[in-house]
Amino acid sequence: MPPSRPQADGLDVPSTVISRGRLIDVLSDTVRDLEALPLTLAADGVDDARRLRASVAGQLRDHVLPRLEDADVPAVVVVGGSTGAGKSTLVNSVLGTEVSEAGVLRPTTRVPVLVVNPEDASALEAHPVSEVVQTVVCEAQPAGLALIDASDLDSVQADNRALAARLLEACDLWLFVTTAARYGDHTPWATLEEAVSRGASIAVVLNRVPAAVLSEVRLDLVERLDGLGLAGSPFFVVPDVGPYEGLLPAGSVRELRDWMQLLAGRHRAAGLVRRADRELWPALRHDLLALADAVDAQGDAGRRLEQAGRDILAGPCDALRADVERGGLAEGAPTTRWVSHASAGGPLAALATGARLRGGWFGRTARARAQALAEVADDLRGALALRLSADLTAVTEEARTTWSEAGATEHAGRLLGHGPGAHEAVTAWVEGVVSTAAPVKGMEAQAVGHLLVAAACGLEGARAAAARLGLAEAVGDARPRLAEALTAALEAAVPARAGLSLVPAPDLAAALRLRAGELSVLVRPGDQ
């Protein structure tokens, strides 16, 4: 025998298999995770997953958890539809009093209006939707039922559209209001399709229908609703009364008012909640599993983006290492400078020929030699920085293009291209070589350091001179440090794990599946 399903907790929850407290914890954790869930990267179905994430989080936050936490929360009916459908006038007319401003300006309902009976006012004070609506306490509103005149689903204002969608997630029943001219509009109808897919309770009001087209429009709309599986949903027609101000004639909304009265009352409204809940748990379980799949897809997309970053770096890094190894970074101006200074009578001639390094009168020759080596080192610094800068620009631009194609454009500016600049990276290497150099006979430490810089960059005359001075080991140490400095600057422009930083935590998919499993006890056989 299936477990009993007591109603005292405010939702249709089998307390013999999961406690209300445990369910509140599970769903609160789920809301927290969904609200923080990044679905950043382009992946199959990511747009649908983003909408689903917002929908599920809103439904849990604004509908499910308030009911679990307070059984006295009245059933919530949202009156929603397209711009100009006459929702506010309809609400006012059903209640027989002006509670929501109606007019010819569109959209009229900028701030949704929540109409509640005095008996229910305290129960809704802490409800999440009370933060985004104007609450009107009205004796004409039956107890046990709260009515929300929502924003337009197709409002030109994005905030209004988002608010309308949020209110639909919070309701126990959606009263879909449309007109003969607007019932086929894309946005309201797409929202209706999505609500049906979630198993939402829906009633339909065809408002402002001219008598001349009533039969044709009713037939077409009923066929459309039947195609959505809403053939058995309550359906009401409010005839067009022409230009009109104030409340509609009582007779035109009598059928809708009587039906709303039947829904009201503690016992009957609780029945409305239970009918909605029968669809809630299997749909919620299905949605959590779909979101878990979306998390997995983000992980796959992040790994592809991460690999793309490594592939972008591979070619330029390999080329830099090869150029360092073959000594190709000293070509051009640095070599010309060396040849000029190493020619007969030049300050570097003794270094080039292996002659004794004399200090000269008052050390002038040594100082000239040191100055010439400093100039060569400066030329090399500029050439290295220019080469590295070009590689940094190319790598960063390619990475940003790749990230843009992966849907991460705004994150690219934050995460890419922020390593050390080319001049900074090269200068750090040069200063490191110079700071560790030791003097040799006829040359101070700084001059030796500049010679090592030239030799490590592959300047052939400098390499030969360094070898004759017993500095081959120091050159052999400086060369790989140069390759490391250059490639490290490139790799910092596309940091390791930058792509992976955009994906959800790897255990989130498992957590969502676990929570879906915990909800399986609430799903009746056949509702899977």
Side-chain angles (χ1 to χ4, degrees):
M1 177 181 295
S4 61
R5 295 177 177 261
Q7 308 308 322
D9 288 344
L11 275 181
D12 195 13
V13 177
S15 59
T16 56
V17 291
I18 186 169
S19 69
R20 183 178 65 161
R22 173 57 185 162
L23 186 55
I24 289 175
D25 288 343
V26 168
L27 298 182
S28 296
D29 289 346
T30 302
V31 170
R32 180 201 65 217
D33 287 344
L34 292 181
E35 290 180 336
L37 171 61
L39 294 172
T40 303
L41 302 177
D44 289 343
V46 69
D47 290 335
D48 291 338
R50 289 167 182 158
R51 287 190 290 270
L52 184 60
R53 172 191 57 190
S55 174
V56 173
Q59 185 180 40
L60 293 177
R61 181 190 61 240
D62 297 336
H63 173 65
V64 179
L65 285 170
R67 291 217 169 280
L68 286 170
E69 293 165 351
D70 185 356
D72 292 329
V73 173
V76 176
V77 177
V78 168
V79 181
S82 57
T83 302
K87 301 181 293 296
S88 299
T89 298
L90 192 65
V91 168
N92 293 336
S93 300
V94 167
L95 295 176
T97 183
E98 296 277 353
V99 293
S100 184
E101 181 183 358
V104 296
L105 295 178
R106 304 298 176 205
T108 299
T109 307
R110 290 183 173 84
V111 178
V113 174
L114 168 65
V115 189
V116 61
N117 185 275
E119 294 181 20
D120 297 321
S122 60
L124 284 170
E125 284 180 356
H127 197 288
V129 299
S130 66
E131 301 172 0
V132 294
V133 299
Q134 174 190 349
T135 300
V136 176
V137 179
C138 178
E139 293 280 358
Q141 174 62 41
L145 208 65
L147 204 60
I148 297 180
D149 182 11
S151 309
D152 298 325
L153 290 169
D154 55 356
S155 171
V156 295
Q157 300 175 10
D159 289 346
N160 278 359
R161 296 195 302 272
L163 183 53
R166 175 178 176 180
L167 293 174
L168 290 180
E169 300 296 347
C171 73
D172 298 291
L173 171 70
W174 178 17
L175 196 60
F176 175 61
V177 182
T178 189
T179 67
R182 305 297 300 273
Y183 68 88
D185 287 1
H186 172 73
T187 298
W189 197 261
T191 307
L192 188 65
E193 290 176 326
E194 185 176 344
V196 170
S197 71
R198 296 196 316 269
S201 295
I202 298 169
V204 179
V205 176
L206 182 58
N207 196 22
R208 297 176 175 172
V209 189
V213 298
L214 174 58
S215 176
E216 178 184 354
V217 170
R218 184 208 291 264
L219 178 61
D220 184 50
L221 179 54
V222 167
E223 288 179 351
R224 286 172 175 252
L225 293 172
D226 186 31
L228 292 181
L230 295 176
S233 295
F235 183 89
F236 304 93
V237 175
V238 178
D240 184 21
V241 296
Y244 203 83
E245 293 185 6
L247 305 181
L248 297 172
S252 65
V253 295
R254 179 175 293 112
E255 184 180 7
L256 179 58
R257 179 190 295 122
D258 291 346
W259 179 73
M260 296 285 285
Q261 290 284 350
L262 286 174
L263 289 180
R266 298 292 176 200
H267 176 71
R268 290 187 295 272
L272 172 62
V273 171
R274 288 194 295 275
R275 286 195 295 276
D277 294 341
R278 283 195 291 272
E279 304 292 341
L280 167 67
W281 302 119
L284 180 57
R285 182 173 181 272
H286 175 273
D287 290 345
L288 291 180
L289 292 174
L291 286 169
D293 291 342
V295 171
D296 288 340
Q298 286 292 297
D300 292 341
R303 284 185 285 274
R304 289 194 297 270
L305 186 59
E306 187 72 16
Q307 185 57 51
R310 299 310 100 201
D311 292 343
I312 289 169
L313 289 171
C317 286
D318 288 346
L320 277 174
R321 293 189 189 97
D323 284 347
V324 171
E325 184 62 28
R326 73 177 179 83
L329 296 176
E331 297 171 352
T335 297
T336 301
R337 177 85 68 175
W338 174 272
V339 170
S340 174
H341 285 320
S343 61
L348 300 182
L351 269 178
T353 61
R356 179 182 175 187
L357 301 179
R358 299 181 182 276
W361 190 255
F362 295 111
R364 290 176 182 172
T365 302
R367 286 196 297 274
R369 186 163 46 245
Q371 177 62 33
L373 287 170
E375 291 174 3
V376 172
D378 282 343
D379 284 349
L380 285 165
R381 189 198 312 259
L384 290 174
L386 189 62
R387 165 65 183 278
L388 180 57
S389 179
D391 284 348
L392 281 172
T393 298
V395 161
T396 302
E397 288 182 355
E398 185 177 357
R400 285 177 175 166
T401 298
T402 300
W403 278 45
S404 179
E405 293 170 350
T409 302
E410 62 183 86
H411 299 279
R414 175 173 58 87
L415 294 173
L416 301 180
H418 296 303
H423 180 76
E424 180 183 355
V426 171
T427 297
W429 172 75
V430 170
E431 291 178 349
V433 172
V434 172
S435 67
T436 58
V440 298
K441 188 174 181 180
M443 293 176 61
E444 295 182 351
Q446 187 175 50
V448 173
H450 289 151
L451 177 62
L452 293 175
V453 167
C457 288
L459 207 158
E460 188 56 41
R463 293 173 67 175
R468 284 193 294 269
L469 293 172
L471 299 173
E473 183 177 346
V475 173
D477 179 60
R479 186 183 299 116
R481 286 164 55 194
L482 172 59
E484 181 181 348
L486 297 179
T487 56
L490 280 183
E491 290 166 351
V494 188
R497 301 192 62 79
L500 293 177
S501 72
L502 303 180
V503 306
D507 59 349
L508 182 54
L512 291 173
R513 291 189 175 97
L514 178 62
R515 290 166 192 165
E518 291 187 89
L519 295 180
S520 63
V521 298
L522 306 179
V523 180
R524 288 182 170 87
D527 287 341
Q528 299 282 354

